[in-house]
Amino acid sequence: MKPALAYLTLRLPIEILALLTAGIIPQGPGATGMPPMFGPLQAFMRWDSGWYLRIIESGYSYSPTEQSSIAFWPLFPMAVKAVAWVMPIPLASFVVVHVSLILALAGVHRLALRYEVRPDYAMAAVLLYPSSFFLSVGYAEALFLALCVWAFVCYEEGRPVAAGILVMGAVLCRSQGVLLCAALVLGAVLRRRVVGRMAVSVAVSGLVAVAVHMAAVNWLTGDPLAMLHARAAWGYDGNVWEAASIYAGWAFSGEAGAAGWLNLATVPLLALYGVGAWILLGPAYGLLALGVLAAPLLSGQLWGLSRISLAALVPVALVVAASAEGRPRFWGSVALASGASVAVNGVLFVNGWSAD
């Protein structure tokens, strides 16, 4: 009940506001190429949603020289396609995303109680995270977050088989699932100083998921790493530091817009949250946050970092909730500013003007 209430009070009004603005301003590039679909929920299908639509409708494609749908991991489009048997695709996507979001909030509520921090603060931290509008749209982020949260719940409650199954789903949902797998395995070892059932179950599940996905990709394309090689068409194959420095220059000059500043700000904040999570919650949480930060930086990717950081929202939300105790005015101001950012991002997204 409380997770649903948190959604109704902190997220639904922002979604309604964004929907009301759809079409009022000229549509941006993120809205182009989307086929005519059912009802107003089409506004939640922008940018990468188009790739998921292609996968749902036509399956995967791959070209080593062009942007290809093989770069997107399969669990989210498979879930939407399954639900789309009984309803239109935009509605099916909306259902999968929002059921996932409510389940994620329920898991955050449970973890917050375990760590004796206020669950309402932790859920608010999820819903008011600046880039969290991506948890409401036709992207895999909400489903990944739900799998990640409940993997941590099972990790904390000593259920290795369930944790392994959830990690397997997370790996098949987004590439950051590999980071979740590594964080839980190392966290379990560091916590107990032995390689126990939890570490083995999670490690085996993660490896199986990667192997199955690589086998499927090889069957489809003849290249077991096509999902990684396809990323070159998005500009991920240049000099790492050159790519990062060029984007940083765009951000400082204003060419990358407000998203550029948000992506740059994510770097020190996520590092801080990672260290704080390790101290307050344990190594598994800290390793996830720091891994989610390190992976894109090591590939030279600063663009989209604020959205990628949603993969670390479990430790971030719990650290924010712990920090908010006794500081209601400060965190209230932060919440208002963050909520405004979510609303702006929502308006921009549904009108096709910003993807990160």
Side-chain angles (χ1 to χ4, degrees), residues 7 32 49 80 94 145 205 242 256 267 339:
Y7 164 77
T32 61
S49 302
V80 174
F94 187 87
L145 179 61
S205 297
E242 181 182 355
V267 175

Side-chain angles (χ1 to χ4, degrees), residues 257-311:
W261 288 104
L262 185 58
N263 289 325
L264 287 184
T266 299
V267 175
L269 286 175
L270 198 53
L272 183 63
Y273 284 129
V275 173
W278 192 308
I279 295 170
L280 295 174
L281 309 170
Y285 297 89
L287 285 167
L288 177 61
L290 295 173
V292 168
L293 173 61
L297 290 182
L298 292 174
S299 68
Q301 183 189 355
L302 283 174
W303 60 94
L305 185 58
S306 62
R307 175 169 66 87
I308 293 170
S309 69
L310 290 171

Side-chain angles (χ1 to χ4, degrees), residues 44-339:
F44 289 113
M45 312 291 283
R46 296 288 185 261
W47 297 98
D48 286 354
S49 302
W51 289 110
Y52 288 121
L53 284 170
R54 291 184 181 91
I55 296 167
I56 293 167
E57 295 174 344
S58 309
Y60 278 104
S61 64
Y62 175 56
S63 168
T65 59
E66 299 177 353
Q67 294 183 0
S68 307
S69 61
I70 200 68
F72 294 84
W73 295 60
L75 188 63
F76 176 68
M78 288 172 60
V80 174
K81 187 170 185 176
V83 178
W85 278 96
V86 294
M87 61 185 69
I89 289 176
L91 183 57
S93 176
F94 187 87
V95 168
V96 170
V97 165
H98 284 74
V99 168
S100 298
L101 179 55
I102 298 298
L103 288 174
L105 292 174
V108 168
H109 186 281
R110 189 155 166 168
L111 285 173
L113 290 175
R114 183 178 187 88
Y115 279 97
E116 298 182 344
V117 298
R118 289 187 55 171
D120 53 338
Y121 284 2
M123 292 188 293
V126 170
L127 294 169
L128 299 179
Y129 190 76
S131 58
S132 67
F133 193 77
F134 285 98
L135 298 174
S136 294
V137 303
Y139 278 49
E141 270 70 5
L143 179 56
F144 178 84
L145 179 61
L147 293 165
C148 182
V149 170
W150 284 97
F152 269 105
V153 170
C154 293
Y155 167 81
E156 294 289 3
E157 296 179 355
R159 292 185 281 164
V161 174
I165 292 171
L166 290 161
V167 166
M168 185 179 295
V171 170
L172 293 173
C173 187
R174 286 189 59 81
S175 59
Q176 287 80 17
V178 176
L179 300 175
L180 171 65
C181 178
L184 291 180
V185 170
L186 291 173
V189 172
L190 291 173
R191 173 181 285 183
R192 298 184 180 277
R193 305 297 179 185
V194 296
V195 180
R197 291 179 58 201
M198 180 64 70
V200 171
S201 178
V202 171
V204 170
S205 297
L207 289 172
V208 168
V210 171
V212 168
H213 186 51
M214 289 177 62
V217 169
N218 184 60
W219 179 72
L220 290 170
T221 69
D223 178 3
L225 297 177
M227 65 285 196
L228 300 180
H229 296 154
R231 291 166 60 85
W234 273 272
Y236 293 100
D237 62 340
N239 179 281
V240 170
W241 302 112
E242 181 182 355
S245 62
I246 288 174
Y247 184 82
W250 290 343
F252 281 115
S253 68
E255 291 183 60
W261 288 104
L262 185 58
N263 289 325
L264 287 184
T266 299
V267 175
L269 286 175
L270 198 53
L272 183 63
Y273 284 129
V275 173
W278 192 308
I279 295 170
L280 295 174
L281 309 170
Y285 297 89
L287 285 167
L288 177 61
L290 295 173
V292 168
L293 173 61
L297 290 182
L298 292 174
S299 68
Q301 183 189 355
L302 283 174
W303 60 94
L305 185 58
S306 62
R307 175 169 66 87
I308 293 170
S309 69
L310 290 171
L313 208 45
V314 175
V316 168
L318 294 174
V319 170
V320 169
S323 304
E325 296 287 348
R327 303 179 181 89
R329 291 186 179 180
F330 172 74
W331 283 107
S333 301
V334 172
L336 286 174
S338 297

